[in-house]
Each structure stands twice: as C-alpha cells, then as structure tokens.
Amino acid sequence: MSHDYIPARDAEFDIFFTNLVEYVDQKTGGNVPEWTHIPPPALTALRDARNAWEAAYIPTTRPHTPVETEAKNDAKQAAKQVLRPFVNQYLRYLPVTNEDRTAMGIRNKDTIPTPIPPPEAQAEADLTFPGVHLVEVANIRAVKGGTAPDLRSDYGVRIYYGFSGSATEKYRFRLAGEPKSGGDLPYSVFTRRKKERFDFDGESGNTVYFCLRYENPRGQTGPFGPMLSAVIP
C-alpha cells in the first residue's frame, strides 16, 4: 500500500498541487513575507511547473485525444520532479511548521520512535570446519517452525561458547560438564553477520559448545536457541 503524500489520481493531484502553490505564495508574498528562506528562482520553478501541469491537465477533463493524455502524463512527471525536491529542501524544516505541512497536505514525519520489543525468535546455525583448529558458525538463522523473526528486534546475534579441557591463559574458564543452557557458556561475541569464524589455536581435540540468541539494538536478548557442539579439529 502506497504512503506517498502526492496523490496518484489526476484530479486529486491537481487540487493538492494548486493548494500547495497558493499556500506557499501566501507565505512568501506581501511586504513582510512570513517565509524568507525560499529563493525566488525556486518559487518561479514551482509556479512554472504548476502552470505547465494545468495547461496539460485541463484538456483531459473533457473528451480528448491520446496525444493530450500523453502530454498530461509528461507534465505530471515533470511537475513531480520539481515538487518533491522543493518540498524536501524548503518545506520539511522550520520556519515551516507541522501545521503548515498539514494545511498543504504534506505528511509530517513521526518524531516519536516506535518501541522495539525484545526478540522472541530463537537462533540456530550450522558448524563447519574450514581448517585445523578453525570452527565456523555458519548460516545463522531463526529456528525453523518457531517464532517468525522480527527485523527490528532481531538486530543481531550473540554467540555464546565454551570449552572442555584444561584452562589456558587465553581461555581460563572451562566447562566442568555438558552445558544445559547458553547461560552456562562463559564467552560470547556479538555479530550482525550470517557467519562467524573462530580460531581456536591450541584447542584441537577439545569439545566446543555454542548457543545463540538474538539481541535488539538496546541489548535486550531473546531466548537461547539449541545447543551446538563439536570436537575442534
């Protein structure tokens, strides 16, 4: 469904365009104009586009030829190419107010941010082994058949991981047994990519466990996905 503020129907477009130009003329005219931020050449271009549209549109309001229809369509496209930049450059900001834009039929931008809820979908992935002591968490995705992902909430994924084996200087925290939840895994990394490669040099032969969950832009987390595990090559 279109949310364009410029009407698609010719009759409605004509009313919209006429009203906008008349409103702008009122605000920029007189001995002491209320709006002084619009340069005269821009005003002239807007009026010229309006006049060209009107000249092409009026013949099509009665029985007319295909040539007249084509001329009207061309004039409408040309008018939009003047109208949109004019609105974006001169009518989106002060001194033009929300009330002014409403009077001209221009939709005001929503300044109240829509709350982004915590994620609800679960995340899972595949494990691949591109080389010795390398493990790649690949094809990160929402669990099939579960809650559908929300692109706002599922902003990125935090990958939790942990190891069996003896502690090292790099990885001092080790798992005493098989983890039951992602919360049991001591290390994590955040990513917005669909895959993440880990280099576990010196850990070959140990078991690594992974568990993923989505995070929204505020750092709020969703439920953990399934536990993944593999022996590091």
Side-chain angles (χ1 to χ4, degrees), residues 67-201:
V67 173
E68 289 172 321
T69 298
E70 186 173 354
K72 179 264 298 178
N73 292 340
D74 290 344
K76 188 175 185 179
Q77 290 305 314
K80 288 181 178 181
Q81 290 176 6
V82 173
L83 183 57
R84 289 190 191 278
F86 185 93
V87 170
N88 290 335
Q89 187 168 358
Y90 302 115
L91 304 182
R92 290 291 186 192
Y93 311 99
L94 292 174
V96 182
T97 65
N98 285 342
E99 291 76 13
D100 290 323
R101 282 183 286 272
T102 298
M104 289 183 286
I106 301 170
R107 185 180 296 107
N108 286 297
K109 293 182 179 180
D110 185 4
T111 58
I112 301 176
T114 302
I116 299 177
E120 295 183 359
Q122 291 178 295
E124 63 179 356
D126 302 319
L127 299 183
T128 63
F129 311 96
V132 177
H133 57 73
L134 299 179
V135 180
E136 191 166 86
V137 179
N139 191 25
I140 297 173
R141 62 196 182 273
V143 172
K144 186 176 181 179
T147 302
D150 182 329
L151 295 181
R152 299 175 307 147
S153 296
D154 305 338
Y155 176 76
V157 169
R158 184 165 294 278
I159 303 172
Y160 294 79
Y161 62 99
F163 309 91
S164 65
S166 302
T168 63
E169 185 175 350
K170 185 175 181 180
Y171 298 112
R172 297 182 179 181
F173 301 101
R174 297 289 171 148
L175 299 172
E178 185 173 340
K180 303 300 182 182
S181 165
D184 297 333
L185 303 177
Y187 304 103
S188 72
V189 62
F190 178 82
T191 184
R192 296 197 66 199
R193 302 192 300 175
K194 293 299 182 183
K195 62 181 179 180
E196 197 72 29
R197 180 175 293 189
F198 295 83
D199 185 351
F200 296 135
D201 190 16

Side-chain angles (χ1 to χ4, degrees), residues 5-6 13-29 35 37-55 75-91 96 104 106:
Y5 66 90
I6 298 180
F13 175 77
D14 183 62
I15 294 172
F16 166 79
F17 202 1
T18 299
N19 175 66
L20 185 145
V21 173
E22 289 179 350
Y23 195 92
V24 170
D25 281 343
Q26 178 184 353
K27 292 288 186 176
T28 58
W35 293 348
H37 67 292
I38 306 176
L43 294 171
T44 299
L46 183 69
R47 297 186 192 106
D48 288 348
R50 169 67 183 84
N51 293 337
W53 155 254
E54 187 72 11
K76 188 175 185 179
Q77 290 305 314
K80 288 181 178 181
Q81 290 176 6
V82 173
L83 183 57
R84 289 190 191 278
F86 185 93
V87 170
N88 290 335
Q89 187 168 358
Y90 302 115
L91 304 182
V96 182
M104 289 183 286
I106 301 170

